[in-house]
Amino acid sequence: MSSEIEKVLGPRVPPDEFKAHRARYMIPTLLFVAAAILLVISIPRPWWRLKLVAPQYPAGLSVTAYINQMTGDIAEIDGLNHYIGMRPLGEAAEFERTISVFGIIAVSMLILAAAFVHNRWAALLALPALFLPLIFVLDLQFWLANFGMNLDPTAALSSSVDPFIPPVLWTGNIAQFSTVPRLLSGFWLAMWSSGLIAVGLFFHRRAYKPLVDKQSHARE
Amino acid sequence: MKRLISILLLAALALGLLAACSDEEPTPEPTQAPANVQVQAGEAGGLPADLLAVANERGLTPQDIRAALKTYVPSGKMDEYYLFSSGGQSGNVVVIGVPSMRILKNIAVFTPEAWQGYGYGDIGTEEVLDGGNVDDTKIRMGDTHHPALSETNGDYDGQFLFINDKASARVAVIDLRDFETKQIVKDPNLISNHGSSFVPPNTEYVIQTSQYATPLGWEYAPISEYKEKYRGLATMYKFDREKGRIDMDNSFSIELPPYWQDLCDAGKLGSDGWAFCNSFNSEMATGGIEQGNPPFEAGVSQRDTDYMHIFNWKKAAEIAEQPGKTEVINGMRVIRIPTAVEEGILFLAPEPKSPHGVDVTPDGKYLTVAGKLDPHVTIYSFDKIQKAIADKKWTTDEFGIPVLNFDDVMLAQVELGLGPLHTQYDDKGNGYTSLFLDSAVAKWTLGGEDPAGYKLVEKLPVQYNIGHISSAEGGTVSPDGKYLVALNKWPVDRFLPTCPLKPQNEQLPDIGSDQMNIIYDMPMGIGEPHYAQMIKADKIKAWETYPEVGWDPITQSPSEFKTMPGQERIERDGNNVEIFMTSIRSHLTPEHVTLNKGDNVTWHITNIETAPDATHGFDLGGQNLSLSIEPGETATFKFVANNDGTYAYYCTEFCSALHLEMMGYMMVAPAAAQ
């Protein structure tokens, strides 16, 4: 039975070996746990903000993205956007926002699970968390492009404002507005999480690779 | 173990970083020049040390000091220009001195105003207001938009000012000898106007066009009958300069398609006799968002072009005199569309969709149409329009009105920025266009016949959301340049907060130098200005006092109720009582007025003062009354003494050291005592 488990989850660490090199086996586990904690902490924190600055809005208007909601001057921005025929912001990434909390918890669980998997499958389990910030940015850019490129051609200002793609990471310009984006703590937590996972995977491999090699030798 | 510690430290660092990483935005920097720019002696052109200290203490930059020097008008000196600014829904006209931007007067027009005693006391000024009643509804507000100074040979002559009320399609005449409203006329067939008021170069007419189309006479018709029944109008109010009044009997209208005409301008010099109006609903959208239809704002913006209306008002005036060419509707002669087409009075030309202002250049040769939804101004050539008309090169719209070819009449387009609304001109061949969305004024060159000569020169940010602009003598054949007033809708961060209703910001850009600069911000806290016109101060010949004692300002002639010292009396005829009173510093004569309950009282007061400034006001406790009786004026009010009692009347204007003593008692005896 135990050999069946070891086939799937990789070799277990013999107690003597663990006692002898406690740090070697604890480091990846602790890193993964820390990464999972950071991800969970990021859930209620803002990830990204877009600030819109125009002459008549010297203090700017802003929309702040959390993984499951958007806050800020949404009504005012939607009000302005209707002149150029952009859909209401509430229609963006509805699916993503619905699943995101469970999704991040699930991704965190996978990292924790990775700590118990001692073969190469651990990397696969950690992969979603590792690429989460990238996925976030790409998805956001997808929606910005989707909204900016699908303007209602019958909108009042359609002869003045052509379809456009607001950049996620740097400043853009649309009509009299500049769009100034900023990545916020939720995103940076996820980045730290990714970093810890990457380092964790390195230590994970260093700790368990010899055991995995030994296991396969034994099979042969 | 060491490694473990370092990892834990790393995690702690991450958390620490998180705590330190604020998601809050830094407070936005003030958009003005930083206050800590110290003025150096050299920069300020050798300012004396004490002045330098003042400048530095107040945080003024050299630019601020230049602006102050250009706008400050010291005590005892006068401004160079009068600016007549509409007050929007205050229903008034605000008179401002330029360049000081000080408010000189708030002229009551469509709304009662107690300081001027305008619209109180049943007769007199209230009768002026009653001229604008709609059916049997007393209208006591107005939405003033576009003031027009009377012109002679295309120059402001300083005699009269006309202003429209958009809400009820009315036009008022203000006499600039005493800055008072003399007449309000109501268009019998329209319920809203916008392209008003504007005047041809010799003010033969005051021209008004409709905004929102309705059936003529605003009678009932379901919106489903929009195309069949709803119409616009251009109304030519005949102006009798001698009488200083609009002559409704000699006025007439031209029926227009229901395209929602917007702003207009009259031709001048070579284009005199013609007028030009934009429109923004050639789609003939009928709205109905609540029924799932596109809202008006989308419906009226569907087509790429709308129509500039071009009409020959001089010819229309001749046609209107001919029998059978007009139809009398609600007492007004109307030239119907088929007649207008047949007689060659009315033409259309495509223009980029939903534009705002159309402004004729000082030489009368070109028209600038501001795009509003289109980032360009489009310049049309009057000669090209005339050629296209002569060549009969046109298609027709569904009302049979000739539509000239855009390419045949358009001369040039200049891309200026977002939201071009209104254009004014200077004396150096430049145009200035307000850009609402960009919150800027664009300066561009007029290129004459050369399309390549029309070029953007410079853009000046203004604060914020600019609507109209007004340059010195800007609507004439010889504009002065020098000053431009930007009538901004949002002050945002410019003034001490008086939220949530904030003043508007009337800004003064200096256009006399090579580079435009804002040199003054004036909070307009008594109305929402739309357009304003600026006239050289010496053209206004305002009276110091009324020409003779016993003057009726409504008729601008001697009053039949003039009362001189010794003639004061109370006349009774049954329960009709007529009081003839005089006022002089510091008494009102008589000082006792005894009435019976139920008396109908007519009360005349003549201010027998001849000294300038010696105005007396008059309030009577318990009555909704306020009079301002300027030197020489005879004012009249009426009321029914419905309540017995003892009342005090007094002079409201602090006229002299014994002002408080300038009073009297009105005793109304109850029925039993009679």
Side-chain angles (χ1 to χ4, degrees):
Chain A
M1 184 64 198
S2 106
S3 77
E4 284 306 306
I5 290 171
E6 291 200 6
K7 221 184 255 175
V8 181
L9 299 182
R12 299 298 93 189
V13 186
D16 292 347
E17 168 65 12
F18 186 76
K19 269 181 200 154
H21 301 102
R22 185 184 288 267
R24 170 181 294 190
Y25 299 104
M26 283 296 284
I27 285 169
T29 303
L30 285 171
L31 285 171
F32 287 166
V33 170
I37 291 171
L38 291 182
L39 267 192
V40 171
I41 295 173
S42 81
I43 291 175
R45 299 198 69 94
W47 280 52
W48 179 79
R49 179 175 294 145
L50 189 66
K51 194 167 164 187
L52 300 129
V53 185
Q56 51 276 80
Y57 294 95
L61 296 169
S62 72
V63 54
T64 303
Y66 293 72
I67 54 160
N68 61 339
Q69 60 167 339
M70 282 178 286
T71 61
D73 305 303
I74 309 277
E76 183 71 14
I77 292 169
D78 279 346
L80 293 169
N81 279 344
H82 99 279
Y83 289 110
I84 60 169
M86 188 182 277
R87 308 195 312 273
L89 297 181
E91 290 177 16
E94 283 176 295
F95 172 72
E96 290 91 323
R97 283 185 282 128
T98 313
I99 62 152
S100 57
V101 173
F102 293 110
I104 290 201
I105 290 172
V107 166
S108 310
M109 303 289 275
L110 289 180
I111 312 171
L112 293 180
F116 294 98
V117 176
H118 297 162
N119 54 25
R120 65 183 59 181
W121 296 110
L124 195 67
L125 291 175
L127 221 54
L130 188 66
F131 289 111
L132 196 62
L134 186 66
I135 293 166
F136 174 81
V137 167
L138 291 178
D139 189 55
L140 195 58
Q141 186 66 74
F142 164 76
W143 281 109
L144 287 173
N146 182 299
F147 268 53
M149 296 305 289
N150 291 293
L151 301 178
D152 180 354
T154 65
L157 281 175
S158 54
S159 53
S160 287
V161 177
D162 293 327
F164 63 104
I165 301 180
V168 172
L169 298 177
W170 53 88
T171 300
N173 285 297
I174 179 61
Q176 79 271 36
F177 283 89
S178 359
T179 59
V180 186
R182 188 176 160 210
L183 292 161
L184 301 180
S185 61
F187 176 84
W188 294 117
L189 281 169
M191 278 297 278
W192 273 100
S193 176
S194 293
L196 294 182
I197 290 166
V199 178
L201 283 174
F202 171 78
F203 285 114
H204 186 279
R205 183 186 157 85
R206 215 178 68 163
Y208 298 114
K209 184 79 182 355
L211 297 180
V212 172
D213 288 346
K214 220 157 117 192
Q215 189 185 36
S216 41
H217 277 300
R219 289 231 181 96
E220 284 163 17
Chain B
M1 202 60 205
K2 255 188 200 163
R3 273 201 200 111
L4 182 65
I5 290 166
S6 61
I7 296 301
L8 284 172
L9 276 175
L10 211 67
L13 180 71
L15 288 170
L17 211 118
L18 161 68
C21 165
S22 166
D23 292 323
E24 294 314 307
E25 292 297 321
T27 328
E29 306 228 337
T31 45
Q32 273 170 343
N36 58 4
V37 177
Q38 293 277 303
V39 183
Q40 306 301 320
E43 284 178 312
L47 269 188
D50 59 330
L51 299 190
L52 209 56
V54 171
N56 285 329
E57 191 195 331
R58 299 194 65 212
L60 302 179
T61 64
Q63 173 62 25
D64 296 335
I65 295 171
R66 267 190 291 274
L69 290 177
K70 284 184 171 177
T71 55
Y72 180 64
V73 175
S75 185
K77 292 203 168 167
M78 302 290 162
D79 278 304
E80 275 178 78
Y81 290 90
Y82 285 95
L83 179 74
F84 291 91
S85 172
S86 72
Q89 54 276 32
S90 78
N92 294 348
V93 166
V94 186
V95 189
I96 298 158
V98 175
S100 76
M101 299 304 282
R102 294 175 299 185
I103 291 181
L104 300 169
K105 195 169 185 181
N106 179 21
I107 306 175
V109 185
F110 293 104
T111 310
E113 203 282 319
W115 168 62
Q116 292 156 85
Y118 183 75
Y120 295 92
D122 269 357
I123 55 172
T125 52
E126 237 189 305
E127 287 173 322
V128 173
L129 282 166
D130 281 340
N133 289 350
V134 177
D135 297 330
D136 54 0
T137 304
K138 277 182 183 250
I139 310 282
R140 289 297 181 265
M141 62 75 61
D143 184 13
T144 59
H145 273 237
H146 310 114
L149 288 155
S150 58
E151 293 180 18
T152 301
N153 298 325
D155 255 320
Y156 301 147
D157 54 38
Q159 292 184 1
F160 297 95
L161 182 77
F162 310 98
I163 191 143
N164 68 316
D165 160 38
K166 171 175 164 169
S168 298
R170 302 178 298 168
V171 170
V173 180
I174 297 164
D175 189 328
L176 294 178
R177 285 173 295 183
D178 63 354
F179 283 57
E180 286 185 4
T181 306
K182 301 302 173 192
Q183 187 188 22
I184 295 175
V185 293
K186 165 84 196 88
D187 190 305
N189 292 312
L190 275 187
I191 202 63
S192 75
N193 66 23
H194 193 260
S196 171
S197 310
F198 62 106
V199 295
N202 284 301
T203 322
E204 298 93 332
Y205 291 90
V206 181
I207 310 177
Q208 165 206 268
T209 56
S210 48
Q211 178 114 83
Y212 308 121
T214 53
L216 296 185
W218 64 94
E219 60 189 36
Y220 172 76
I223 192 86
S224 56
E225 294 172 12
Y226 188 84
K227 280 187 194 179
E228 298 76 46
K229 295 203 170 156
Y230 287 50
R231 290 294 178 269
L233 281 181
T235 296
M236 308 292 299
Y237 291 109
K238 180 73 190 163
F239 184 62
D240 183 337
R241 198 188 280 262
E242 204 60 35
K243 289 191 182 139
R245 292 290 185 280
I246 285 169
D247 174 4
M248 288 298 274
D249 291 339
N250 284 306
S251 302
F252 67 96
S253 298
I254 306 165
E255 181 189 18
L256 301 177
Y259 293 161
W260 290 11
Q261 288 72 31
D262 200 26
L263 277 153
C264 308
D265 201 3
K268 52 188 96 163
L269 300 174
S271 54
D272 186 14
W274 291 77
F276 313 92
C277 291
N278 287 330
S279 66
F280 60 101
N281 188 12
S282 58
E283 295 85 352
M284 293 190 278
T286 53
I289 187 172
E290 67 286 351
Q291 287 139 28
N293 300 329
F296 276 118
E297 62 167 323
V300 306
S301 319
Q302 293 311 297
R303 294 182 46 188
D304 285 339
T305 54
D306 282 298
Y307 293 127
M308 174 161 66
H309 295 48
I310 301 160
F311 60 94
N312 186 337
W313 64 261
K314 236 172 208 171
K315 196 164 184 183
E318 289 164 16
I319 296 296
E321 297 302 323
Q322 295 172 14
K325 298 288 187 185
T326 58
E327 201 176 311
V328 176
I329 303 174
N330 296 314
M332 181 73 102
R333 289 173 297 156
V334 179
I335 300 175
R336 304 303 297 245
I337 290 175
T339 310
V341 170
E342 194 182 312
E343 300 291 344
I345 292 169
L346 180 61
F347 304 88
L348 304 172
E351 52 189 0
K353 72 174 177 183
S354 302
H356 204 44
V358 50
D359 297 282
V360 179
T361 54
D363 59 13
K365 290 182 176 170
Y366 310 100
L367 329 166
T368 302
V369 170
K372 188 168 84 179
L373 300 181
D374 180 274
H376 300 88
V377 285
T378 304
I379 292 95
Y380 294 78
S381 152
F382 180 72
D383 286 347
K384 285 184 160 210
I385 290 171
Q386 290 306 309
K387 186 169 185 305
I389 291 172
D391 294 350
K392 299 193 187 301
K393 272 185 76 181
W394 60 60
T395 54
T396 53
D397 76 345
E398 60 184 282
F399 297 93
I401 305 167
V403 180
L404 309 177
N405 212 325
F406 181 67
D407 293 329
D408 290 344
V409 294
M410 191 272 281
L411 177 69
Q413 285 196 305
V414 196
E415 183 166 350
L416 299 181
L418 293 171
L421 293 185
H422 303 282
T423 302
Q424 293 273 285
Y425 304 99
D426 69 7
D427 54 336
K428 299 182 188 73
N430 297 304
Y432 299 83
T433 301
S434 56
L435 303 174
F436 179 82
L437 298 177
D438 278 348
S439 277
V441 171
K443 176 181 177 180
W444 49 279
T445 52
L446 293 165
E449 288 300 313
D450 174 20
Y454 292 84
K455 278 188 196 142
L456 175 65
V457 178
E458 186 194 349
K459 275 162 87 168
L460 172 74
V462 294
Q463 286 72 37
Y464 300 88
N465 285 0
I466 181 173
H468 277 271
I469 49 176
S470 173
S471 65
E473 302 253 325
T476 69
V477 293
S478 57
D480 287 1
K482 205 158 187 178
Y483 301 113
L484 191 71
V485 172
L487 297 109
N488 303 308
K489 302 292 175 187
W490 284 15
V492 185
D493 53 6
R494 295 292 120 165
F495 305 118
L496 285 177
T498 54
C499 306
L501 178 60
K502 296 180 181 181
Q504 310 260 312
N505 187 11
E506 301 211 6
Q507 272 184 322
L508 184 68
D510 171 16
I511 57 168
S513 322
D514 281 344
Q515 208 187 359
M516 294 189 284
N517 284 307
I518 301 280
I519 53 174
Y520 202 82
D521 280 39
M522 172 213 165
M524 168 60 87
I526 50 174
E528 191 220 333
H530 291 268
Y531 184 42
Q533 285 198 334
M534 206 191 303
I535 177 175
K536 196 94 170 101
D538 59 16
K539 287 186 176 176
I540 302 272
K541 309 287 182 208
W543 287 333
E544 282 278 309
T545 63
Y546 281 110
E548 55 184 271
V549 170
W551 191 262
D552 179 356
I554 307 292
T555 59
Q556 294 286 50
S557 61
S559 166
E560 57 176 310
F561 305 113
K562 159 183 175 177
T563 309
M564 296 305 283
Q567 299 173 342
E568 299 93 344
R569 62 198 183 275
I570 300 174
E571 291 176 357
R572 174 176 285 279
D573 174 17
N575 63 349
N576 293 321
V577 178
E578 197 160 4
I579 299 160
F580 296 85
M581 180 177 264
T582 58
S583 66
I584 191 166
R585 283 161 288 174
S586 304
H587 57 270
L588 294 152
T589 311
E591 292 185 329
H592 298 162
V593 172
T594 305
L595 300 171
N596 296 323
K597 182 173 175 172
D599 280 348
N600 292 314
V601 184
T602 306
W603 194 320
H604 312 286
I605 308 174
T606 300
N607 180 352
I608 55 176
E609 304 268 11
T610 51
D613 297 359
T615 294
H616 296 294
F618 187 84
D619 274 11
L620 172 57
Q623 298 292 332
N624 182 35
L625 178 75
S626 180
L627 300 180
S628 171
I629 316 157
E630 288 102 44
E633 177 176 351
T634 296
T636 300
F637 65 97
K638 275 183 177 175
F639 66 100
V640 179
N642 279 326
N643 299 305
D644 56 70
T646 305
Y647 303 91
Y649 52 83
Y650 67 100
C651 171
T652 48
E653 181 98 16
F654 197 101
C655 56
S656 70
L658 293 167
H659 159 74
L660 292 180
E661 289 78 355
M662 189 169 173
M663 69 82 67
Y665 283 107
M666 177 178 86
M667 292 149 283
V668 183
Q674 289 171 24

